[in-house]
Amino acid sequence: MQQVFTVSEARLQEMKNSYQTSSVNPPAGAVFRAHKNGVTITGYRSGKVMFQGGDIAKELTRWHLSSTTGSTSGKKSKQPTNSLSLPANFASLSVAGSDEVGTGSYFGPLTVAATYVDATNVDRVTALGIQDSKKLTDPQIIKMAKELLTFIPYHVVNLMPPRYNELMKRYNQAELKALCHNLALQKLLTKIEPQKPDAILVDQFVAPNTYFRYLKKQQMVVSENIFFRVRAEQIHVSVAAASIIARYVSLKAMDELTAEAGMTLPIGANSAIDQIAAKLIRQGQDLGQYAKLHFQNTQKAEKIANE
Ligand code: MN
């Protein structure tokens, strides 16, 4: 059996990543070829993916491709690009979700959390009322996070400012976020083994093809059954739970940094923040200990401090 599908650039990259361990030399015009479970999968630059072999059904299911929508090889495919639509009843599936906090705040860490909310926990997590995380107060976040941590598998990647600043010498911020999401998800998936989520949902911050481009040099790329959506916390509670846990870890980190600095370090990047940063400089403190130095606030604070 042989079938050809047309997929998006992002999906092609996901497939390439996913089949990395089974890959063989691709033929001319192809970006990858892999042999897996008796099936040969070949992805072409054009976005065409060919499945050949005895039982291709399993590999097709994995990519939400149906044997009725593919075209037989040789003919030009008239199928629309696979739109990566979410599986049916997505909200009630067992999903691993990830979200981050701190990217827009001068002080404090970049925190990425991934959680796994299986189908049996969806109602319990929903009942906590976590889905409107932007409207929640800090004490509410803390209470909910503490509850979630008792029964939800999770992994947090928390980059405190010194480490963040170090990594920002090598990566741009979106790239660093991609690395952190991938790492958090990878660690989470290992923790929940042998369970496997029905899907993975990332709160989208860049286009999926950019996300996978950022991960090109990584040994392990979580790419199977992964979906990207903006406002993903409204699509599955696993992302809402990840957001709560990330905010909780970030709040604790801010408390620690505040204690260390001997003055309140607020969240944000406005001009009031510049004044506080200037005060730290005047005290001879190392800003890199508390803040994301690549923000413009650094220059502004230096200017104020030298006035
Ligand atoms: Mn987000």
Side-chain angles (χ1 to χ4, degrees):
M1 183 154 193
Q2 176 168 308
Q3 279 201 297
V4 178
F5 296 84
T6 304
V7 301
S8 68
E9 198 187 327
R11 194 58 150 185
L12 189 69
Q13 190 60 42
E14 282 176 60
M15 289 176 161
K16 184 184 173 191
N17 291 333
S18 173
Y19 289 121
Q20 221 162 36
T21 53
S22 329
S23 70
V24 296
N25 274 343
V31 287
F32 74 88
R33 169 168 278 178
H35 294 305
K36 188 153 188 189
N37 304 325
V39 179
T40 300
I41 306 103
T42 313
Y44 296 90
R45 235 164 265 144
S46 62
K48 297 229 168 19
V49 181
M50 183 164 68
F51 293 81
Q52 298 164 286
D55 183 14
I56 65 171
K58 197 178 156 218
E59 291 305 309
L60 294 186
T61 308
R62 192 167 150 203
W63 299 104
H64 313 303
L65 298 169
S66 134
S67 55
T68 56
T69 59
S71 68
T72 49
S73 180
K75 283 183 229 155
K76 208 171 156 50
S77 172
K78 292 280 188 285
Q79 293 303 318
T81 296
N82 184 301
S83 63
L84 292 176
S85 56
L86 297 173
N89 306 317
F90 194 83
S92 55
L93 297 180
S94 298
V95 171
S98 63
D99 195 12
E100 84 286 326
V101 66
T103 50
S105 180
Y106 183 55
F107 292 121
L110 166 64
T111 313
V112 178
T115 70
Y116 176 55
V117 178
D118 75 18
T120 64
N121 277 326
V122 166
D123 287 345
R124 185 170 169 194
V125 174
T126 306
L128 290 174
I130 64 171
Q131 236 151 338
D132 259 334
S133 76
K134 299 262 150 56
K135 290 180 195 158
L136 297 172
T137 63
D138 290 353
Q140 284 174 314
I141 296 279
I142 292 164
K143 191 165 171 269
M144 287 172 183
K146 283 184 173 169
E147 172 75 19
L148 284 170
L149 296 182
T150 63
F151 70 101
I152 293 298
Y154 67 96
H155 188 84
V156 174
V157 176
N158 186 46
L159 296 181
M160 292 299 272
R163 178 97 179 108
Y164 176 92
N165 291 324
E166 195 54 43
L167 289 167
M168 282 298 289
K169 291 175 186 164
R170 283 157 52 198
Y171 306 106
N172 70 52
Q173 201 196 41
E175 198 171 8
L176 190 51
K177 277 157 84 170
L179 293 167
C180 292
H181 273 263
N182 183 58
L183 180 61
L185 287 166
Q186 187 189 308
K187 296 275 184 192
L188 173 71
L189 294 181
T190 306
K191 281 180 189 175
I192 65 171
E193 269 171 7
Q195 292 177 88
K196 256 188 141 192
D198 296 324
I200 294 162
L201 182 62
V202 176
D203 192 44
Q204 185 172 336
F205 53 92
V206 285
N209 57 347
T210 308
Y211 178 89
F212 287 113
R213 182 159 48 79
Y214 287 152
L215 298 179
K216 246 179 192 161
K217 289 190 186 133
Q218 298 307 301
Q219 292 277 322
M220 304 257 283
V221 177
V222 175
S223 58
E224 201 175 325
N225 282 332
I226 193 167
F227 298 88
F228 300 84
R229 288 293 185 277
V230 292
R231 290 182 295 280
E233 71 279 0
Q234 290 167 21
I235 297 170
H236 195 278
V237 285
S238 59
V239 177
S243 164
I244 299 282
I245 290 170
R247 280 184 67 184
Y248 171 66
V249 171
S250 179
L251 282 172
K252 282 205 300 184
M254 290 301 278
D255 285 348
E256 282 166 30
L257 292 175
T258 285
E260 213 178 299
M263 66 181 87
T264 303
L265 303 180
I267 289 167
N270 57 25
S271 56
I273 301 285
D274 300 339
Q275 297 294 337
I276 294 165
K279 203 168 154 191
L280 284 168
I281 295 171
R282 284 203 199 98
Q283 288 184 352
Q285 297 217 55
D286 176 11
L287 264 189
Q289 202 59 31
Y290 309 106
K292 301 182 184 77
L293 294 178
H294 66 102
F295 278 45
Q296 297 212 328
N297 302 73
T298 303
Q299 279 74 44
K300 290 179 186 159
E302 275 163 1
K303 203 166 158 246
I304 296 166
N306 293 325
E307 265 168 10

